[in-house]
Amino acid sequence: MNMFMQQLVNNKVNSLTAKELLDLAAQYNIQLSSEQANQVIAILRSEQIDVANQTQVERIIHRLQTEVDEYVSSVIQQLLQQFSHYL
């Protein structure tokens, strides 16, 4: 695992804004509303994310499924997978 890239991804995930999330979703042709983006950011801000911690990532995905909806959870999983090759 490339620790430098992991740190960059962690910093980006932990500082992501709703607008950036919407832009990223649009870049990958993923439908996401402003309300959904705000809900995702609120969940991400609830703890310091370490993308290499699979247990934590699964817990966040589960929270997204239950607190937002299953579609949004799958969207975030897709977006995270776009960066997994850097780790």
Side-chain angles (χ1 to χ4, degrees):
M1 180 178 301
N2 184 333
M3 296 304 283
F4 178 72
M5 290 306 291
Q6 178 185 337
Q7 187 63 33
L8 285 175
V9 173
N10 281 339
N11 285 340
K12 186 60 183 173
V13 168
N14 286 300
S15 66
L16 193 65
T17 66
K19 168 125 177 48
E20 290 171 327
L21 179 58
L22 287 168
D23 291 344
L24 190 58
Q27 180 181 340
Y28 289 101
N29 295 318
I30 298 171
Q31 300 246 337
L32 193 65
S33 73
S34 294
E35 182 180 341
Q36 291 168 323
N38 287 323
Q39 290 173 315
V40 169
I41 295 303
I43 290 171
L44 292 179
R45 293 273 190 281
S46 69
E47 57 187 285
Q48 190 72 15
I49 307 295
D50 176 4
V51 294
N53 181 339
Q54 193 60 37
T55 302
Q56 182 186 40
V57 171
E58 289 171 6
R59 184 176 63 248
I60 295 293
I61 296 299
H62 179 53
R63 281 189 65 194
L64 291 169
Q65 286 175 336
T66 58
E67 295 176 30
V68 184
D69 65 46
E70 198 163 314
Y71 170 75
V72 171
S73 173
S74 68
V75 165
I76 300 305
Q77 278 184 304
Q78 289 174 16
L79 290 174
L80 286 174
Q81 287 173 355
Q82 298 295 324
F83 298 103
S84 65
H85 67 280
Y86 290 119
L87 304 177

